[in-house]
Amino acid sequence: MLAKALEASHKHATMDKDGLLGGKFYFKKLPNGLLDKTKVTCTICKAEFRYHRSNSSLCYHLRAKHPESTSTGSCQSTPQDYGARGRITKHVSEKLTNSLVVWIAKNCRPVSIVEDDGLREVIRVASGDVRYNLPSRGTIVSRLHTLYEDQRDQRSSKLVQVRNVALTGDRWTSVNNDNYSGVTAHFIDNDWTLQSFALTVSKTEERQCAEACADHFLSVANEWKIKDKLTTFGTDSARNMVAAARLLPFEHMPCTAQILQRTITVSLNDSEFERVLAKCRKVVGHFKQSPANAQELKEQQVAHGQKTEPLVRDVPTRWNSTLEMIKRIQRNKSVLTTILAQQNSMVTMLTDQEFDILQKLEELLEPCRYVTELLGGKQYVSCSVVLPALCYLFRVMELSDDDPVYVLRFKKVFTTDLAQRRDSINLTWLKIATALDPRFKDLKCVSKDERREVWASLHDLVMAETHAHQPSAQTTEEPSPKKRKIAICLLGSSDSDSEEEEDSIDRCLDRYKAEPKIDIEECPLQWWLKREGAHARLAPIACKYLSTPATTVPCERLFSLSVYKNTCNPVRTIQGYTYDNSVNGQKQEATSQWHKKCEKEQQRNASLKDTHGHAQCYTEKHDD
């Protein structure tokens, strides 16, 4: 009998979504069909109770009359039950406050969140202390300042211990027409681990001219006391940033990924692909601009057994968005065809021939996407991969007799434009970095003449490094006349010493070149960690050149994350943020550094760990 009652109660609870305590009680229905929220009925014994928005009496009834029904699940606990567990200790309260501060800083939350009643109730329920109160705004602001100082000291201590630091910088204008500047630092520590974190994200009032940008970046370097350690300064291809880089006393490293994307844009203009892409944008706009059409797209995707996903439209400034647009249109070909046919819309679907053109374009853009994502990482060495990756693209874009005319035209424009832009990047730095990477030290991505020039440049760098660390010949004491005579007599041996030093450097380079290449999937920094003693002269130079990032993606992610996390106040970022808070009418601002990325970017970069396994991308351009 009880089993039947439970089965009936389960059925009734399934039908009535207004049930209480897992459907064990339901509200009484009035003759007019409405629910009487003041009375509830037990689904097991049909007993009727008055309901005062509390489940305490209902739980007591179940425990007293139907204990078997409560064995599989517990009733909702009352505040008294939680309060019985005891109050939060002072130590736990401090840990909660510090956790809140880190959460606000890392996840770009407003300081005013500590005044949220919902957050307070969540912590009370989780901790069991019904009298717990969140810390005040002033406490959070004070802890944020302390946290900033601690993080700054940690970063400063790391920068003190290294010899060379590479920077990337970028300027950005928010939707509120405010100017912001971001700077990130990159270096290899004493354990041969690549380190990267933001130095600052700050609001700037001056105009974004070249002189102002250069002054700002210099002030950041002076503030962190790393001006004498800077090696390269990476920027995008904006005119003011390029001009600012010319004013700085550092090597300029243009963003390789942006150069590649500009080449793609130039190649797509006035091509057969552009006509088909324009038709794709109309199809995407038909579903993006109408909520009804977007909902119908979801329903049809479910009906066709496909993954529900919206269409995306390409944006010139969003890398690889054109590839993503055509991919989604191809995946939803049958769905889009069905919807447009049913709607009898003025927007026409792509023909089979046009889909063939999209397939050709996808094959051309997919290698570009791979290279862009490969060079955009900051957790592994990327500077030495630039030339092999560009070599791979030139091989992909080689003309073939089977290519249609529109593909041949795209490839010609692509290779011509990329070759011109390749000459404008810092080739000297990239070649040396490639030579010092044990994966590509054979330099088969450049011609034979260029290889000889690279090793000659590396010879001069080793010579300069040797002289820089030799003890000074000057002494505080005046040498005696006898010693001065001996020194004059020995001057004739300086030529032989120089020749010996030249031979020693040549032997050093020959010993490095004789080392076998490592597999593409292996880490070059781990290789140098194990062989630092065997190649002591080359190790400091490798540490200097391999730490340079190939792109400005790490710096640009600061601004991308600020919009992703908080569109109302885009200054708040995970790596460097400025928070606003009014305390006694005074505006409090602070800046903090974090070397972690947002979870979404971490997942995206995690997929790049196996990209070094694509050995095809480093095809030899010049055979021996």
Side-chain angles (χ1 to χ4, degrees):
M1 187 68 181
L2 182 60
K4 292 182 179 180
L6 288 173
E7 182 179 358
S9 66
H10 177 71
K11 181 178 179 181
H12 186 85
T14 305
M15 296 175 60
D16 186 6
K17 61 183 179 181
D18 295 307
L20 298 172
L21 296 179
K24 295 182 176 62
F25 295 87
Y26 62 91
F27 292 110
K28 184 179 180 181
K29 280 193 176 182
L30 299 176
N32 57 3
L34 300 178
L35 295 178
D36 185 1
K37 295 296 182 72
T38 62
K39 296 180 181 179
V40 294
T41 303
C42 178
T43 58
I44 301 175
C45 62
K46 305 302 179 183
E48 188 175 298
F49 302 90
R50 287 189 174 276
Y51 182 66
H52 302 285
R53 298 184 181 179
S54 175
N55 296 338
S56 302
S57 60
L58 306 183
C59 291
Y60 177 79
H61 171 76
L62 290 176
R63 289 194 298 267
K65 300 297 182 182
H66 315 291
E68 67 281 353
S69 66
T70 61
S71 60
T72 57
S74 60
C75 301
Q76 180 177 350
S77 301
T78 62
Q80 288 76 13
D81 296 333
Y82 288 116
R85 303 179 194 172
R87 297 200 64 180
I88 295 178
T89 63
K90 184 176 180 181
H91 176 68
V92 175
S93 179
E94 281 293 312
K95 291 180 65 177
L96 277 174
T97 301
N98 293 332
S99 298
L100 283 172
V101 172
V102 175
W103 174 47
I104 290 172
K106 288 178 63 176
N107 295 93
C108 313
R109 303 302 177 190
V111 179
S112 59
I113 200 171
V114 295
E115 299 174 352
D116 192 342
D117 294 337
L119 177 61
R120 182 190 61 196
E121 292 303 319
V122 168
I123 296 180
R124 284 182 175 181
V125 171
S127 63
D129 186 356
V130 297
R131 291 171 290 182
Y132 174 79
N133 289 316
L134 290 167
S136 64
R137 269 186 163 195
T139 301
I140 296 298
V141 171
S142 176
R143 297 287 180 92
L144 281 173
H145 281 282
T146 303
L147 180 62
Y148 163 72
E149 295 298 335
D150 292 342
Q151 292 293 321
R152 182 183 177 86
D153 292 341
Q154 293 180 20
R155 269 69 176 163
S156 297
S157 62
K158 289 182 178 180
L159 293 174
V160 168
Q161 299 173 6
V162 297
R163 291 178 54 190
N164 303 294
V165 181
L167 297 183
T168 64
D170 196 14
R171 303 293 289 262
W172 178 69
T173 303
S174 70
V175 293
N176 296 327
N177 206 25
D178 295 325
N179 295 330
Y180 297 96
S181 176
V183 180
T184 61
H186 309 264
F187 58 90
I188 297 175
D189 60 17
N190 296 329
D191 296 328
W192 286 91
T193 302
L194 190 61
Q195 301 282 352
S196 175
F197 51 78
L199 296 182
T200 181
V201 174
S202 56
K203 185 176 180 180
T204 57
E205 302 295 340
E206 69 272 8
R207 296 175 62 88
Q208 297 189 16
C209 58
E211 292 78 6
C213 294
D215 292 341
H216 174 74
F217 295 136
L218 276 178
S219 65
V220 172
N222 291 327
E223 179 184 358
W224 287 84
K225 300 178 182 179
I226 56 174
K227 182 180 178 181
D228 296 335
K229 299 182 178 183
L230 295 185
T231 56
T232 60
F233 183 69
T235 69
D236 56 18
S237 300
R239 292 185 178 181
N240 60 334
M241 300 301 291
V242 174
R246 295 196 193 102
L247 301 175
L248 296 173
F250 323 120
E251 291 280 346
H252 180 217
M253 184 60 62
C255 180
T256 310
Q258 189 181 46
I259 289 175
L260 176 58
Q261 295 304 315
R262 287 197 170 192
T263 297
I264 294 174
T265 303
V266 171
S267 304
L268 288 175
N269 291 337
D270 300 328
S271 66
E272 182 69 16
F273 295 118
E274 185 60 32
R275 181 186 62 81
V276 182
L277 291 176
K279 199 170 181 179
C280 292
R281 297 184 189 106
K282 290 183 180 180
V283 175
V284 174
H286 179 73
F287 292 93
K288 296 282 287 184
Q289 298 170 5
S290 172
N293 292 339
Q295 181 62 29
E296 188 173 356
L297 175 62
K298 291 182 181 179
E299 295 173 357
Q300 287 292 336
Q301 286 172 339
V302 173
H304 284 73
Q306 296 184 197
K307 176 185 175 182
T308 57
E309 59 179 356
L311 301 179
V312 296
R313 183 169 182 171
D314 61 336
V315 181
T317 57
R318 191 175 296 278
W319 301 345
N320 303 317
S321 58
T322 301
L323 177 61
E324 186 62 26
M325 179 181 70
I326 64 179
K327 277 186 173 182
R328 296 202 183 190
I329 288 181
Q330 288 179 315
R331 287 198 297 264
N332 294 275
K333 176 181 178 181
S334 58
V335 174
L336 297 175
T337 303
T338 302
I339 296 175
L340 294 178
Q342 292 177 354
Q343 292 181 348
N344 196 18
S345 173
M346 297 294 294
V347 178
T348 58
M349 189 57 185
L350 282 73
T351 63
D352 292 339
Q353 183 181 3
E354 290 170 334
F355 271 105
D356 293 338
I357 295 177
L358 287 185
Q359 181 62 35
K360 292 288 186 182
L361 181 58
E362 181 182 352
E363 295 173 0
L364 293 171
L365 295 183
E366 185 62 32
C368 300
R369 178 205 61 80
Y370 163 68
V371 171
T372 301
E373 293 184 351
L374 176 66
L375 299 180
K378 70 173 185 178
Q379 297 179 341
Y380 50 83
V381 175
S382 59
C383 186
S384 60
V385 188
V386 173
L387 295 182
L390 294 182
C391 176
Y392 161 65
L393 289 179
F394 281 116
R395 291 295 299 269
V396 169
M397 297 298 172
E398 287 181 352
L399 304 182
S400 173
D401 297 336
D402 300 331
D403 292 333
V405 176
Y406 56 86
V407 173
L408 292 175
R409 182 177 179 181
F410 178 91
K411 288 183 175 180
K412 288 180 180 179
V413 176
F414 184 93
T415 52
T416 303
D417 187 81
L418 185 60
Q420 294 175 352
R421 297 181 186 274
R422 178 182 179 272
D423 295 336
S424 64
I425 61 179
N426 197 333
L427 284 177
T428 302
W429 190 279
L430 295 177
K431 290 175 183 178
I432 294 177
T434 306
L436 292 172
D437 191 325
R439 298 170 297 176
F440 316 116
K441 63 188 183 68
D442 54 8
L443 292 177
K444 290 189 176 181
C445 56
V446 298
S447 63
K448 292 183 178 180
D449 294 337
E450 290 176 310
R451 295 175 204 173
R452 286 190 288 268
E453 294 176 0
V454 172
W455 292 116
S457 301
L458 199 52
H459 180 280
D460 296 339
L461 289 174
V462 175
M463 178 75 73
E465 181 74 15
T466 303
H467 290 167
H469 287 78
Q470 284 181 348
S472 176
Q474 296 179 355
T475 58
T476 55
E477 297 181 2
E478 183 71 20
S480 62
K482 184 177 180 181
K483 290 183 179 180
R484 194 177 301 167
K485 270 186 185 179
I486 296 175
I488 294 175
C489 295
L490 294 177
L491 283 177
S493 64
S494 60
D495 292 339
S496 59
D497 292 342
S498 176
E499 291 176 359
E500 285 185 11
E501 189 173 1
E502 291 281 347
D503 294 339
S504 175
I505 295 176
D506 290 337
R507 288 194 300 271
C508 170
L509 294 178
D510 291 339
R511 188 166 59 252
Y512 170 71
K513 288 189 285 187
E515 290 272 8
K517 285 174 55 179
I518 64 175
D519 191 81
I520 281 182
E521 296 183 359
E522 295 186 42
C523 177
L525 298 184
Q526 291 298 315
W527 187 93
W528 277 106
L529 176 62
K530 297 176 182 178
R531 293 165 176 80
E532 181 178 7
H535 306 283
R537 289 187 173 185
L538 282 175
I541 304 175
C543 184
K544 174 181 178 180
Y545 279 80
L546 295 180
S547 62
T548 300
T551 67
T552 59
V553 172
C555 188
E556 292 172 356
R557 281 182 183 144
L558 299 177
F559 306 125
S560 300
L561 181 59
S562 66
V563 177
Y564 172 73
K565 285 291 184 182
N566 193 333
T567 55
C568 297
N569 191 351
V571 190
R572 303 188 183 102
T573 67
I574 199 170
Q575 299 192 6
Y577 68 93
T578 300
Y579 64 87
D580 297 332
N581 180 37
S582 296
V583 180
N584 298 326
Q586 299 295 326
K587 184 177 181 182
Q588 307 291 332
E589 293 188 352
T591 309
S592 180
Q593 295 79 34
W594 303 92
H595 70 280
K596 296 181 180 179
K597 298 180 287 186
C598 87
E599 184 178 358
K600 182 179 179 181
E601 294 294 336
Q602 281 181 332
Q603 293 173 353
R604 178 172 174 268
N605 279 342
S607 64
L608 296 179
K609 290 182 180 179
D610 60 343
T611 52
H612 292 293
H614 294 262
Q616 317 175 1
C617 86
Y618 308 115
T619 355
E620 300 175 0
K621 181 179 180 183
H622 302 279
D623 297 330
D624 284 322

